Amino acid sequence: MAFSREKDTLRHRVWLLVTGLLTVSALATSAMAQAPAETTLAATQMPSTPRLNDPAVEARAKALLAQLSLAEKLRLVMGYVDVDELKKLPVGTIPDDVLADALREGIRGSAGYVPGVARLGIAAQQQTDAAMGVRVKGVERTALPSSLAIAASFDPRVAYLGGQMIADEARATGFNVLLAGGANLAREPRNGRNFEYAGEDPLLAATMVSGQINGIQSRHMISTFKHYALNDQESQRTTLDAKIDDKAMRQSDLLAFELLIERSDPGSAMCGYNLVNGDWACENDHLLTGLLKGDFGFKGYVMSDWGAVHSSHKAAMAGLDQQTGYDCCGGDHIDHFGRALRADLMAGITPMARLDDMVRRILRAMVAKGLLDDQPKVGPIDFAAHAQVALRAAEASMVLLKNDGDLLPLNHAASIVIIGGHADVGVLSGAGSSAVYPVGGNAAPGVKTPWGREAIYMPSSPLASLRQMLPKAQIDYDAGTDATVAAKAAAAHGLAIVFVNQWSAEEHDHELALPGNQDALITAVAAANPHTVVVLENGGALYMPWLGQVPAVLEAWYPGIRGGQAIAEVLTGKINPSGRLPISFPAGPEQLAHATIAGMGEPDKTPVSVTYDEGATIGYKWYEEKGLKPLFAFGHGLSYTRFEMGEASAKLTEGALRLSAEFRNVGGREGGVTPQFYVKAPGNAGWEAPRRLVGFEPIALTAGASGRAQTTVDNRLLATYDPVTHSWNIATGDYEVWCGEASDKTRLIGTVHLAERRWPASQATPQEGT
């Protein structure tokens, strides 16, 4: 992506705003010296550490490998759970020297530990869950908004800063390996972990997740990407066989992973629990060796998800490099890469050369990402500064879904009642391994999720923030537990704001309806007060049977440690919402690709399979291909100002498709717009849907100002994968280019004629003459 000089000044100001170095009020008037905006954005999309394929990195890894004994090599390929859990294992379950190391060096409450080799300066790998913040049992840390929320910013700089913040807190806690980088597509809208991922489109997911990974690894950490691959539902996740053809897989879920590997050079990949086309993901030769280490050129190491290893020899030969999280999470309780692998090596079943490759990959990542030269040091954390990073992320992620009659912003409201959602104390977060115990503690202890767990509420009260921002208004609160009582309260005030929650969690899928009586609550309140605003705190798409009864809806997602403040800022107009939907919201269950979720509600570990016969036709592509109108389209998001598209172009230059569009802020205040470029293929192209997203770029504009969005299209986004010839192919024909503010709000900006091109799938782009 590139930027016109016309908007450099404003974009730099907005960047300073995101980092907290510039206040909102100073945004339009700051005259400070400018750094080129291109440099700032490029930093989010290019690794700041040596790449894994750097010859110097390879040489150092080989030199270390040559000095290791067999026992030391085996130490590096076998990882363990938290030290407190290790203490519970029967004596002799793990080697005495490993247990002694873990008890001496391991971090209590961590995700895992891999012993090092002290005599060579090879540090132990200290692993932590880190999707939205550092997760350590019983330890308070800063919680970012959910990954899906950050994806709604459509701005990889937001993800980059969040990654740096998480890495800083991880280092100060003693960690050097972060289990982050979730890039599974929202193929199944009811997936309980969609809030941990980055949406339904491979380009968006790759762009946002690579931003986070680059932020993490800029702090001399290893980041994973996960969960590779097709780990797209939680029901029966450890026994589910996901069936899909190679063409569809390459053009959807795997394309997201391929793009992010190129853009962020992650040190490690985490394979998932599920099977893919009959083979476990962690012993799937086609996925791990053929594609990941072959076509995608991944030079890092593959670690298992916790409890996801089912064999020694087969897993090793398929491409798994490290068993992690032993003994955890309902696995088979076998240290496959411990004593079992040693026995296979001694018997000649598994060649020593394979063990050397496993260890070299681990060392390569540790060298390239700085783990050997810049070890983390436990120390103080600037929680106040980090809360500002989380606040800026939350502000950028809010999506204004509806605002009939310009009901919002409500800065002139005199009498308001806040209803439901525990909005008097805090905002909801997702549950599972990504859950962060927040600084300040759980704001609503004792509140249970539908699965009986204690929900975590961030201590950031929307009610308190609204009272602070609207000191002249009368603002009351009703818990929303009784719809009749809430309706009476709404009738007695000039405006009502209903907060509703939907819990999402690892290990659980859910329907898209609001749980409990919340739909009825909204209906009752809206009937009593026509000036009703709904604020959603949820992990993904929702049905809204009450949508026609309310004039305004704000999607707040799981907004993190300063979420209540960010919600209040958007509702009052201090912040102009600029978020866009990274997922489509279906109008009802009849619009879903699958009527039911395989295995949902059945006993855990029931073997089931799902056939993804929709292939790569996911999200907005599904709706367009099937002629369906979703409740809210991918890319949708309103603003308190208005934008108009001006001159736009689509040109072929030196074999690359370059797109450009000018947007002007024609409203009365500053705001952000995200031009989105889509390409429509000719009928002979064999695409999975009529159009694909091929580029996007957020622009911040003061009132009356113009800015230009530009992008160069990756050729794979114009091609189809041919599994027979193992190649990418662009069909001859006229391709239409569309641009607009959402997938359902675009106009044609040009047509380009593309000649047939074919290149090997092991190459990212076609070589000259192909």
Coordinates of all heavy atoms in Angstrom, one line a residue, residues 261-326:
I261 N 2.9 -15.5 6.3 CA 4.3 -16.0 6.4 C 5.2 -15.1 5.7 O 6.3 -14.7 6.1 CB 4.4 -17.4 5.9 CG1 3.6 -18.4 6.9 CG2 5.8 -17.9 5.8 CD1 3.5 -19.8 6.3
E262 N 4.8 -14.7 4.5 CA 5.6 -13.8 3.6 C 5.8 -12.4 4.3 O 6.8 -11.8 4.2 CB 5.0 -13.7 2.2 CG 5.0 -15.0 1.5 CD 4.1 -14.9 0.2 OE1 3.5 -13.8 0.0 OE2 4.0 -15.9 -0.4
R263 N 4.7 -12.0 4.9 CA 4.7 -10.6 5.4 C 5.3 -10.4 6.8 O 5.7 -9.3 7.2 CB 3.3 -10.0 5.4 CG 2.7 -9.9 4.0 CD 1.3 -9.5 4.0 NE 0.8 -9.4 2.7 CZ -0.2 -8.5 2.3 NH1 -0.7 -7.7 3.2 NH2 -0.6 -8.5 1.1
S264 N 5.4 -11.5 7.6 CA 5.8 -11.4 9.0 C 6.9 -12.4 9.4 O 7.5 -12.2 10.5 CB 4.6 -11.5 9.9 OG 4.0 -12.8 9.8
D265 N 7.2 -13.4 8.6 CA 8.3 -14.3 8.9 C 8.2 -14.8 10.3 O 9.2 -14.7 11.1 CB 9.6 -13.6 8.7 CG 10.8 -14.5 8.6 OD1 10.7 -15.5 7.9 OD2 11.9 -14.2 9.3
P266 N 7.1 -15.4 10.7 CA 7.0 -15.9 12.1 C 8.0 -17.0 12.4 O 8.3 -17.8 11.6 CB 5.5 -16.4 12.2 CG 5.2 -16.7 10.7 CD 5.9 -15.7 9.9
G267 N 8.4 -17.0 13.7 CA 9.4 -18.1 14.1 C 8.8 -19.4 14.2 O 9.5 -20.4 14.0
S268 N 7.5 -19.5 14.5 CA 6.9 -20.8 14.7 C 5.5 -20.9 14.2 O 4.8 -19.9 14.1 CB 6.9 -21.2 16.2 OG 6.3 -22.4 16.5
A269 N 5.1 -22.1 13.8 CA 3.7 -22.4 13.4 C 3.2 -23.4 14.4 O 3.9 -24.3 14.9 CB 3.7 -23.1 12.0
M270 N 1.9 -23.2 14.8 CA 1.2 -24.2 15.7 C 0.2 -24.9 14.9 O -0.8 -24.3 14.4 CB 0.6 -23.4 16.9 CG -0.1 -24.4 17.9 SD -1.1 -23.6 19.1 CE 0.1 -22.8 20.1
C271 N 0.4 -26.2 14.9 CA -0.6 -27.1 14.2 C -1.8 -27.3 15.1 O -1.7 -27.3 16.3 CB 0.0 -28.4 13.7 SG 0.9 -29.3 14.9
G272 N -3.0 -27.5 14.5 CA -4.2 -27.6 15.3 C -4.6 -29.0 15.8 O -3.9 -30.0 15.5
Y273 N -5.7 -29.1 16.5 CA -6.2 -30.3 17.0 C -6.8 -31.3 16.0 O -6.8 -32.5 16.1 CB -7.2 -30.0 18.1 CG -6.6 -29.5 19.4 CD1 -7.0 -28.2 19.9 CD2 -5.8 -30.3 20.2 CE1 -6.5 -27.8 21.1 CE2 -5.3 -29.8 21.4 CZ -5.7 -28.5 21.8 OH -5.2 -28.1 23.0
N274 N -7.4 -30.7 15.0 CA -8.3 -31.4 14.1 C -7.6 -32.2 13.1 O -6.4 -32.1 12.9 CB -9.3 -30.4 13.4 CG -8.5 -29.4 12.7 OD1 -7.7 -28.6 13.2 ND2 -8.6 -29.4 11.3
L275 N -8.3 -33.1 12.4 CA -7.8 -33.8 11.2 C -8.2 -32.9 10.0 O -9.2 -32.2 10.0 CB -8.4 -35.2 11.1 CG -8.2 -36.2 12.2 CD1 -9.4 -36.1 13.2 CD2 -8.1 -37.6 11.6
V276 N -7.4 -33.1 9.0 CA -7.7 -32.4 7.7 C -7.6 -33.5 6.6 O -6.6 -34.1 6.4 CB -6.7 -31.3 7.4 CG1 -7.0 -30.7 6.0 CG2 -6.8 -30.2 8.4
N277 N -8.7 -33.8 6.0 CA -8.8 -34.8 5.0 C -8.2 -36.2 5.4 O -7.5 -36.8 4.7 CB -8.1 -34.4 3.7 CG -8.8 -33.2 3.0 OD1 -10.1 -33.1 3.1 ND2 -8.1 -32.3 2.4
G278 N -8.6 -36.5 6.7 CA -8.3 -37.8 7.2 C -7.0 -38.0 8.0 O -6.8 -39.0 8.6
D279 N -6.1 -36.9 8.0 CA -4.9 -37.0 8.8 C -4.9 -35.9 9.8 O -5.3 -34.7 9.6 CB -3.7 -36.8 7.9 CG -3.1 -38.1 7.4 OD1 -3.4 -39.1 8.0 OD2 -2.5 -38.1 6.3
W280 N -4.4 -36.2 11.1 CA -4.3 -35.2 12.1 C -3.4 -34.0 11.6 O -2.4 -34.2 10.9 CB -3.6 -35.7 13.4 CG -4.4 -36.9 14.0 CD1 -4.1 -38.2 14.0 CD2 -5.6 -36.7 14.8 NE1 -5.0 -38.9 14.7 CE2 -6.0 -38.0 15.2 CE3 -6.4 -35.7 15.2 CZ2 -7.1 -38.3 16.0 CZ3 -7.5 -35.9 15.9 CH2 -7.9 -37.2 16.3
A281 N -3.8 -32.8 11.9 CA -3.1 -31.6 11.4 C -1.6 -31.7 11.9 O -0.8 -31.2 11.1 CB -3.8 -30.4 12.0
C282 N -1.3 -32.3 13.0 CA 0.1 -32.3 13.5 C 0.8 -33.5 13.0 O 2.0 -33.7 13.4 CB 0.1 -32.2 15.1 SG -0.4 -30.6 15.7
E283 N 0.3 -34.3 12.1 CA 1.0 -35.3 11.5 C 0.6 -35.5 10.0 O 0.5 -36.6 9.5 CB 0.9 -36.7 12.2 CG -0.5 -37.2 12.5 CD -0.5 -38.5 13.2 OE1 0.2 -38.6 14.2 OE2 -1.3 -39.4 12.8
N284 N 0.3 -34.3 9.4 CA -0.3 -34.3 8.1 C 0.8 -33.8 7.1 O 1.2 -32.6 7.1 CB -1.4 -33.3 8.1 CG -2.3 -33.3 6.8 OD1 -1.7 -33.3 5.7 ND2 -3.6 -33.4 6.9
D285 N 1.4 -34.8 6.4 CA 2.6 -34.5 5.6 C 2.2 -33.5 4.5 O 3.1 -32.6 4.2 CB 3.0 -35.8 4.9 CG 4.2 -35.6 4.0 OD1 5.3 -35.4 4.5 OD2 4.0 -35.7 2.8
H286 N 1.1 -33.5 3.9 CA 0.7 -32.6 2.9 C 0.6 -31.2 3.4 O 1.2 -30.2 2.8 CB -0.7 -33.0 2.3 CG -1.2 -32.0 1.3 ND1 -0.5 -31.8 0.1 CD2 -2.3 -31.3 1.2 CE1 -1.2 -31.0 -0.7 NE2 -2.3 -30.6 0.0
L287 N 0.1 -31.0 4.6 CA 0.0 -29.7 5.2 C 1.3 -29.1 5.7 O 1.7 -28.0 5.4 CB -1.0 -29.7 6.4 CG -2.5 -29.6 6.2 CD1 -3.2 -29.6 7.5 CD2 -2.9 -28.4 5.4
L288 N 2.1 -30.0 6.4 CA 3.3 -29.5 7.1 C 4.5 -29.5 6.2 O 5.3 -28.5 6.2 CB 3.6 -30.4 8.3 CG 2.5 -30.4 9.4 CD1 2.9 -31.3 10.6 CD2 2.1 -29.0 9.8
T289 N 4.7 -30.5 5.4 CA 5.9 -30.6 4.6 C 5.7 -30.2 3.2 O 6.4 -29.3 2.6 CB 6.5 -32.0 4.6 OG1 6.9 -32.4 5.9 CG2 7.7 -32.1 3.7
G290 N 4.6 -30.7 2.6 CA 4.3 -30.3 1.2 C 4.0 -28.9 1.0 O 4.5 -28.2 0.1
L291 N 3.1 -28.3 1.8 CA 2.7 -26.9 1.7 C 3.5 -26.0 2.5 O 4.1 -25.1 2.0 CB 1.2 -26.8 2.0 CG 0.3 -27.6 1.1 CD1 -1.2 -27.5 1.5 CD2 0.5 -27.3 -0.4
L292 N 3.4 -26.2 3.8 CA 4.0 -25.2 4.7 C 5.5 -25.0 4.5 O 6.0 -23.9 4.2 CB 3.8 -25.6 6.2 CG 4.3 -24.6 7.3 CD1 3.7 -23.2 7.1 CD2 4.0 -25.2 8.6
K293 N 6.3 -26.1 4.6 CA 7.7 -26.1 4.4 C 8.1 -26.1 2.9 O 9.3 -25.8 2.6 CB 8.4 -27.2 5.2 CG 8.1 -27.1 6.7 CD 8.8 -28.2 7.5 CE 8.6 -28.1 9.0 NZ 9.2 -29.2 9.7
G294 N 7.2 -26.6 2.1 CA 7.5 -26.7 0.7 C 7.1 -25.4 -0.1 O 7.8 -24.5 -0.3
D295 N 5.8 -25.4 -0.5 CA 5.3 -24.3 -1.3 C 5.5 -22.9 -0.6 O 5.8 -21.9 -1.2 CB 3.8 -24.5 -1.6 CG 3.7 -25.5 -2.7 OD1 4.7 -26.1 -3.2 OD2 2.5 -25.7 -3.2
F296 N 5.2 -22.8 0.7 CA 5.2 -21.6 1.4 C 6.6 -21.2 1.8 O 6.8 -20.0 2.3 CB 4.3 -21.6 2.6 CG 2.8 -22.0 2.3 CD1 2.0 -22.3 3.4 CD2 2.3 -22.0 1.1 CE1 0.7 -22.7 3.1 CE2 1.0 -22.4 0.8 CZ 0.2 -22.7 1.8
G297 N 7.5 -22.1 1.8 CA 8.9 -21.8 2.1 C 9.1 -21.4 3.6 O 10.1 -20.7 3.9
F298 N 8.3 -22.0 4.5 CA 8.5 -21.6 5.9 C 9.7 -22.2 6.5 O 10.0 -23.4 6.4 CB 7.2 -22.2 6.6 CG 7.3 -21.9 8.1 CD1 7.3 -20.6 8.6 CD2 7.2 -23.0 9.0 CE1 7.3 -20.4 10.0 CE2 7.2 -22.8 10.4 CZ 7.3 -21.5 10.9
K299 N 10.6 -21.4 7.1 CA 11.9 -21.8 7.6 C 11.9 -22.0 9.1 O 12.9 -22.4 9.7 CB 13.0 -20.8 7.2 CG 13.2 -20.7 5.7 CD 13.6 -22.0 5.1 CE 13.9 -21.8 3.6 NZ 14.3 -23.1 3.0
G300 N 10.8 -21.7 9.8 CA 10.7 -21.8 11.2 C 10.3 -23.2 11.6 O 10.4 -24.2 10.8
Y301 N 9.9 -23.4 12.8 CA 9.6 -24.7 13.3 C 8.1 -24.9 13.6 O 7.4 -23.9 13.9 CB 10.4 -25.1 14.6 CG 10.1 -24.2 15.8 CD1 9.3 -24.7 16.8 CD2 10.7 -23.0 16.0 CE1 9.1 -24.0 18.0 CE2 10.4 -22.2 17.1 CZ 9.6 -22.7 18.1 OH 9.4 -22.0 19.2
V302 N 7.6 -26.1 13.5 CA 6.2 -26.4 13.8 C 6.1 -27.0 15.2 O 6.7 -28.0 15.5 CB 5.6 -27.4 12.8 CG1 4.2 -27.7 13.1 CG2 5.8 -26.9 11.4
M303 N 5.3 -26.3 16.1 CA 5.0 -26.8 17.4 C 3.6 -27.3 17.4 O 2.7 -26.9 16.6 CB 5.2 -25.8 18.5 CG 4.2 -24.6 18.5 SD 4.1 -23.7 20.0 CE 5.7 -22.8 20.0
S304 N 3.3 -28.2 18.3 CA 1.9 -28.8 18.4 C 1.1 -27.9 19.3 O 1.6 -27.2 20.1 CB 2.0 -30.2 18.9 OG 2.4 -30.2 20.3
D305 N -0.2 -27.9 19.1 CA -1.1 -27.4 20.1 C -1.0 -28.4 21.3 O -0.6 -29.5 21.2 CB -2.5 -27.3 19.6 CG -3.3 -26.2 20.3 OD1 -2.9 -25.9 21.5 OD2 -4.3 -25.8 19.8
W306 N -1.5 -27.9 22.4 CA -1.3 -28.7 23.7 C -2.2 -29.9 23.7 O -3.4 -29.8 23.6 CB -1.6 -27.8 24.9 CG -0.6 -26.9 25.4 CD1 -0.3 -26.6 26.7 CD2 0.4 -26.1 24.7 NE1 0.7 -25.8 26.8 CE2 1.2 -25.5 25.6 CE3 0.8 -26.0 23.3 CZ2 2.3 -24.7 25.3 CZ3 1.8 -25.2 23.0 CH2 2.6 -24.5 23.9
G307 N -1.5 -31.1 23.6 CA -2.3 -32.3 23.6 C -2.6 -32.8 22.2 O -3.5 -33.7 22.1
A308 N -2.0 -32.2 21.2 CA -2.5 -32.5 19.8 C -1.6 -33.5 19.1 O -1.7 -33.7 17.8 CB -2.6 -31.2 19.0
V309 N -0.6 -34.2 19.8 CA 0.3 -35.1 19.1 C -0.2 -36.5 19.3 O -0.6 -36.9 20.4 CB 1.7 -35.0 19.7 CG1 2.7 -35.9 18.9 CG2 2.2 -33.5 19.6
H310 N -0.2 -37.3 18.3 CA -0.7 -38.7 18.3 C 0.3 -39.8 17.9 O -0.1 -40.9 17.9 CB -1.9 -38.8 17.3 CG -3.1 -37.8 17.7 ND1 -4.1 -38.2 18.5 CD2 -3.3 -36.5 17.3 CE1 -4.9 -37.2 18.7 NE2 -4.4 -36.1 18.0
S311 N 1.5 -39.4 17.6 CA 2.5 -40.4 17.2 C 3.9 -39.7 17.3 O 4.0 -38.5 17.4 CB 2.3 -40.8 15.8 OG 2.5 -39.8 14.9
S312 N 4.9 -40.6 17.3 CA 6.3 -40.1 17.3 C 6.8 -40.1 15.8 O 7.0 -39.0 15.3 CB 7.1 -41.0 18.1 OG 8.5 -40.8 17.9
H313 N 7.0 -41.3 15.3 CA 7.6 -41.4 13.9 C 6.8 -40.7 12.9 O 7.3 -39.8 12.1 CB 7.8 -42.8 13.6 CG 8.3 -43.0 12.2 ND1 9.6 -42.7 11.8 CD2 7.7 -43.5 11.0 CE1 9.8 -42.9 10.5 NE2 8.7 -43.4 10.0
K314 N 5.5 -41.0 12.8 CA 4.7 -40.4 11.7 C 4.7 -38.8 11.8 O 4.8 -38.1 10.8 CB 3.3 -40.9 11.8 CG 2.4 -40.3 10.6 CD 1.0 -40.9 10.6 CE 0.2 -40.3 9.5 NZ -1.2 -40.8 9.4
A315 N 4.5 -38.3 13.1 CA 4.4 -36.9 13.3 C 5.8 -36.2 12.9 O 5.8 -35.2 12.2 CB 4.1 -36.5 14.7
A316 N 6.9 -36.8 13.3 CA 8.2 -36.3 13.0 C 8.4 -36.3 11.5 O 8.9 -35.3 10.9 CB 9.3 -37.1 13.7
M317 N 8.1 -37.4 10.8 CA 8.4 -37.5 9.4 C 7.4 -36.6 8.6 O 7.7 -36.2 7.4 CB 8.3 -38.9 8.9 CG 9.4 -39.8 9.6 SD 11.1 -39.1 9.5 CE 11.3 -39.2 7.7
A318 N 6.2 -36.3 9.1 CA 5.3 -35.4 8.4 C 5.7 -34.0 8.5 O 5.2 -33.2 7.7 CB 3.9 -35.6 9.0
G319 N 6.5 -33.6 9.5 CA 6.9 -32.2 9.6 C 6.8 -31.6 11.0 O 7.1 -30.4 11.1
L320 N 6.3 -32.3 12.0 CA 6.2 -31.7 13.3 C 7.6 -31.6 13.9 O 8.3 -32.6 13.9 CB 5.3 -32.5 14.2 CG 5.0 -32.0 15.6 CD1 4.3 -30.6 15.6 CD2 4.3 -33.0 16.5
D321 N 7.9 -30.5 14.5 CA 9.3 -30.3 15.0 C 9.4 -30.2 16.5 O 10.4 -30.4 17.1 CB 9.9 -28.9 14.5 CG 9.9 -28.9 13.0 OD1 10.5 -29.8 12.4 OD2 9.4 -28.0 12.3
Q322 N 8.2 -30.0 17.2 CA 8.3 -29.9 18.6 C 6.9 -30.3 19.2 O 5.9 -29.7 18.8 CB 8.6 -28.4 19.0 CG 8.9 -28.2 20.5 CD 9.2 -26.7 20.8 OE1 8.3 -25.9 20.8 NE2 10.5 -26.4 21.0
Q323 N 6.9 -31.2 20.2 CA 5.7 -31.5 20.9 C 5.7 -30.6 22.1 O 6.7 -30.5 22.9 CB 5.7 -33.0 21.4 CG 4.5 -33.3 22.3 CD 4.5 -34.7 22.8 OE1 5.3 -35.5 22.4 NE2 3.5 -35.1 23.6
T324 N 4.6 -29.8 22.3 CA 4.6 -28.8 23.3 C 3.4 -29.1 24.2 O 2.4 -29.7 23.8 CB 4.5 -27.4 22.7 OG1 3.7 -27.5 21.5 CG2 5.9 -26.9 22.4
G325 N 3.5 -28.6 25.5 CA 2.4 -28.7 26.4 C 2.1 -30.1 27.0 O 1.0 -30.4 27.4
Y326 N 3.2 -30.9 27.1 CA 3.0 -32.2 27.8 C 3.0 -32.0 29.3 O 3.8 -31.3 29.8 CB 4.1 -33.1 27.4 CG 4.1 -34.5 28.0 CD1 3.2 -35.5 27.5 CD2 4.9 -34.8 29.1 CE1 3.2 -36.7 28.1 CE2 4.9 -36.0 29.7 CZ 4.0 -37.0 29.2 OH 4.0 -38.2 29.8

